[in-house]
Amino acid sequence: MKFKRVAEYFEKLDNISSRLEMTSILTTLFSEIDAKDISNLVYFCQGTLGPKYKAREINIGQSTLLSLVSEYLSVPEDEIKKEFFSLGDIGLLVEKHNQRRKQSTLFVKELEFREVFETFVKISETTGKGSTEKKQQLFKYILLNSDAISAKYLVRFPISFRLGFGDSTIIDALAGLCVGKEEDIKKAREIITEKYQLVSDLGLLAGLIKDNGIEEVEKLRVTLFTPIKSQLCERAETLEEIKERMGKFAVDTKIDGFRQQIHKKGDKVKIFSRQEEDITNMFPDIVKVVGKIPHDFIIDCESIAYDPENKRYHTFQITITRKRKYGISEKSKELPLHLKVFDCLYFDGEEVYSKPFIKRRELVEEYFSYQPIVCPTELLITDSLDDLKSFFEKSLAEGFEGIIAKSLDAPYKAGLRGYSWIKFKKS
């Protein structure tokens, strides 16, 4: 498919606000594109070059982009910058100036969507000496070979790509590819949503649907080194509310640190953030200790900076300074981390996320205590409001943020927020 055709669909999407209309337009676009390109098209619609855990950064900054646009439009750079700060949208700026120009002078050939996407990938992979100039030349190539509508969306992509819809609309559009009765489309939507929580990759799901239908998506299972979306908490206004909602429950400490999902198989360890970003290289101290645990697993956990001199945990504002790209080794010595494990989603070849919390917790208690660096969070099982209050006060005294009450029988609800996990904080 020509990129011009894709951009024409984007233009339609840009000019409507109805989610139903957006879904219909996206379904038509997804049905029209070749099967080998649909995964990348979905990523492009998300404003990325792949799933978050395989993040690619274009690294063309705003100033450089404005300079390239100045050259493309043959308009002085200071004028371009002034107009950009007035409009606040580089795409609208390009559209405004292109309306004054003769279309025949804008491009040499029509680019395929595949060529545009692969060029952005090349830009993201260009590093080392002279990389800035190479990135600019690659971007100029696709920009100078673009028509007016295409240029509007190309210049947005590196810094501010938004089409007015989120993942849920893409899921609805993909479900629309599953031709059938309304109940079949509804079932397809449920399957896509469920599996997206487990594999965090809508492009993958799109490719499977386009090639082999929804049946292929149903076969997907938890895969090591592919992040599962994190379960989220509902908030309680009072401790009494927790007691009323849950009866007998587990109470876990709520830690104000880095939410991390750690995958291990053999000697390989990867750490993912709550946003599914691969942050393994930032935490060599955690990787070293976790790598010694003689099992394959996926655990949900929180790391927090520890002050060994005062035997107290640091605040989030201090812990966050451990998240960095440079000076990692020095900082890890200055601010050692403790890893608090609170859930297990996969263990030695078995998916355990669907088991009751109390069963998953037994795995945590038995296999993830490597003091002082790695240990389970402190847990209380009770049906007493007095016990709940005492545990909450104790958590605050130890420097934690609050507590999380958890249903004993509930499975891990990837990507969802619900009352099987209820948080209560000191604030």
Side-chain angles (χ1 to χ4, degrees):
M1 180 184 283
K2 302 294 184 186
F3 186 80
K4 178 181 179 181
R5 181 69 172 153
V6 173
E8 287 169 350
Y9 275 104
F10 288 169
E11 187 73 355
K12 291 179 184 178
L13 291 163
D14 221 9
N15 290 296
I16 59 173
S17 56
S18 164
R19 179 169 169 178
L20 283 176
E21 287 185 65
M22 285 184 173
T23 301
S24 177
I25 292 169
L26 273 177
T27 298
T28 305
L29 172 58
F30 292 159
S31 64
E32 189 175 324
I33 194 134
D34 291 343
K36 58 187 173 183
D37 291 324
I38 191 170
S39 294
N40 290 340
L41 178 58
V42 166
Y43 300 140
F44 203 93
C45 288
Q46 292 179 301
T48 69
L49 294 174
K52 289 181 182 178
Y53 66 94
K54 295 181 179 177
R56 294 186 175 110
E57 296 182 1
I58 295 174
N59 286 327
I60 294 179
Q62 179 177 289
S63 179
T64 301
L65 194 59
L66 290 172
S67 178
L68 293 171
V69 167
S70 167
E71 183 178 346
Y72 164 68
L73 295 172
S74 300
V75 177
E77 192 170 334
D78 57 348
E79 184 179 335
I80 287 294
K81 288 181 177 179
K82 183 178 180 181
E83 287 193 63
F84 171 70
F85 289 116
S86 173
L87 290 170
D89 183 334
I90 197 167
L92 292 180
L93 186 154
V94 168
E95 180 180 48
K96 173 184 172 183
H97 281 276
N98 272 336
Q99 289 172 351
R100 305 171 183 170
R101 311 173 74 197
K102 291 183 178 180
Q103 184 63 47
S104 60
T105 65
L106 290 179
F107 62 95
V108 178
K109 67 171 185 175
E110 288 188 286
L111 299 172
E112 297 288 333
F113 167 76
R114 186 179 309 135
E115 185 175 6
V116 170
F117 190 88
E118 289 174 352
T119 300
F120 275 122
V121 171
K122 286 179 184 176
I123 291 171
S124 72
E125 293 173 345
T126 300
T127 58
K129 186 177 181 180
S131 60
T132 300
E133 291 76 15
K134 291 175 184 176
K135 287 174 182 285
Q136 291 178 21
Q137 289 302 316
L138 287 166
F139 187 77
K140 282 166 65 175
Y141 168 74
I142 55 175
L143 184 58
L144 293 172
N145 283 289
S146 298
D147 63 286
I149 295 176
S150 298
K152 175 181 176 180
Y153 294 97
L154 285 174
V155 297
R156 282 176 173 171
F157 193 73
I159 56 172
S160 59
F161 195 76
R162 299 288 186 275
L163 290 171
F165 57 82
D167 291 348
S168 58
T169 305
I170 296 175
I171 288 170
D172 288 347
L174 291 174
L177 294 178
C178 306
V179 179
K181 300 177 181 178
E182 179 57 36
E183 54 263 36
D184 296 328
I185 295 174
K186 181 180 178 182
K187 179 63 176 176
R189 185 186 302 115
E190 292 172 354
I191 293 169
I192 296 167
T193 300
E194 176 192 350
K195 297 304 181 180
Y196 183 39
Q197 313 300 346
L198 295 183
V199 302
S200 304
D201 189 340
L202 268 184
L204 169 66
L205 302 185
L208 293 174
I209 291 168
K210 189 83 169 178
D211 281 333
N212 298 298
I214 196 66
E215 296 77 15
E216 201 66 22
V217 174
E218 284 189 279
K219 297 176 185 177
L220 285 173
R221 296 293 180 265
V222 169
T223 304
L224 280 162
F225 310 116
T226 297
I228 300 168
K229 290 189 178 294
S230 298
Q231 178 168 345
L232 305 174
C233 304
E234 285 289 357
R235 183 189 297 270
E237 294 298 325
T238 64
L239 292 172
E240 286 79 6
E241 180 186 346
I242 293 175
K243 176 68 173 66
E244 290 170 7
R245 285 185 178 275
M246 287 195 154
K248 190 173 184 179
F249 50 88
V251 193
D252 214 339
T253 46
K254 187 178 189 313
I255 300 163
D256 198 11
F258 292 118
R259 179 84 176 265
Q260 296 178 339
Q261 187 180 114
I262 301 182
H263 294 226
K264 178 185 175 290
K265 182 177 177 62
D267 296 330
K268 184 178 179 181
V269 174
K270 278 198 174 293
I271 304 176
F272 299 100
S273 71
R274 177 177 160 177
Q275 290 75 35
E276 302 134 45
E277 300 164 308
D278 185 343
I279 54 174
T280 309
N281 293 337
M282 295 182 184
F283 303 100
D285 44 346
I286 296 296
V287 171
K288 182 178 179 180
V289 178
V290 168
K292 295 177 180 178
I293 300 175
H295 298 279
D296 299 337
F297 53 79
I298 300 174
I299 52 175
D300 202 350
C301 41
E302 195 107 7
S303 64
I304 184 169
Y306 183 67
D307 179 356
E309 184 176 341
N310 296 302
K311 297 183 179 179
R312 186 174 177 83
Y313 291 102
H314 287 294
T315 63
F316 177 75
Q317 287 73 21
I318 294 177
T319 298
I320 193 68
T321 63
R322 275 296 311 268
K323 190 174 182 180
R324 53 180 51 220
K325 292 184 178 180
Y326 307 103
I328 294 171
S329 178
E330 295 79 3
K331 200 67 177 179
S332 65
K333 294 174 183 176
E334 177 189 337
L335 281 177
L337 293 175
H338 281 188
L339 189 75
K340 302 292 186 178
V341 184
F342 54 82
D343 216 325
C344 182
L345 314 181
Y346 174 98
F347 191 79
D348 280 349
E350 183 182 4
E351 295 179 345
V352 298
Y353 71 91
S354 58
K355 291 188 174 184
F357 169 75
I358 193 64
K359 294 296 183 184
R360 304 196 309 273
R361 183 66 192 196
E362 288 172 4
L363 291 172
V364 172
E365 298 282 353
E366 184 171 356
Y367 297 106
F368 296 96
S369 184
Y370 286 77
Q371 301 282 359
I373 306 300
V374 177
C375 65
T377 51
E378 185 176 355
L379 192 78
L380 171 71
I381 297 176
T382 185
D383 59 1
S384 163
L385 181 59
D386 288 339
D387 287 348
L388 179 58
K389 290 178 177 178
S390 296
F391 191 88
F392 175 68
E393 295 298 333
K394 181 174 180 289
S395 295
L396 296 187
E398 292 175 352
F400 297 120
E401 190 181 25
I403 56 97
I404 300 177
K406 298 180 177 180
S407 169
L408 296 173
D409 299 324
Y412 189 90
K413 298 179 179 179
L416 301 179
R417 189 184 301 279
Y419 283 102
S420 58
W421 284 14
I422 307 176
K423 63 184 176 181
F424 185 76
K425 304 195 295 183
K426 60 183 177 182
S427 57

